[in-house]
Amino acid sequence: EHLYGDFWGFTCIKRESSFFISFKLGKRTNETCGEFFKDLKKRMKKPTNTNKLNIFSDRNFEYEIMMNKIFDVETELSDLRSN
């Protein structure tokens, strides 16, 4: 395993204010992505059926996999869009 050159930066920035809500640096794996979304969920107001979370992303396939595990997709997520 290489000791350099193999990392990914996961970031969550509030769209209107550019406020950094969460950041995770690590390998581009489901495990690192899951840690990122768990941290994000702890730091934000809990989404509800009437106040859902909108996600804008580069469509990294790990996002969809891990968001389905971390969030209740029916009540918490409104949309996942490419930005």
Side-chain angles (χ1 to χ4, degrees):
E1 184 159 326
H2 299 288
L3 299 175
Y4 55 90
D6 185 16
F7 69 93
W8 188 257
F10 296 87
T11 58
C12 179
I13 303 170
K14 185 170 172 134
R15 192 175 192 121
E16 295 84 23
S17 66
S18 299
F19 179 75
F20 270 86
I21 299 170
S22 183
F23 179 84
K24 180 70 179 170
L25 190 61
K27 294 204 177 273
R28 190 174 179 175
T29 62
N30 284 346
E31 181 179 356
T32 305
C33 186
E35 291 171 8
F36 167 72
F37 280 111
K38 285 176 189 173
D39 182 66
L40 172 62
K41 190 171 184 175
K42 284 189 320 191
R43 295 172 182 265
M44 59 183 227
K45 186 176 179 180
K46 182 171 174 32
T48 64
N49 211 11
T50 57
N51 186 28
K52 294 185 179 187
L53 179 63
N54 286 306
I55 302 286
F56 297 86
S57 81
D58 61 359
R59 288 288 201 188
N60 177 350
F61 71 93
E62 286 139 344
Y63 299 158
E64 191 168 343
I65 292 168
M66 297 315 297
M67 283 191 309
N68 285 324
K69 290 183 178 186
I70 305 296
F71 293 98
D72 178 356
V73 178
E74 293 298 317
T75 61
E76 295 182 328
L77 291 177
S78 174
D79 201 2
L80 175 64
R81 302 179 208 161
S82 296
N83 197 8

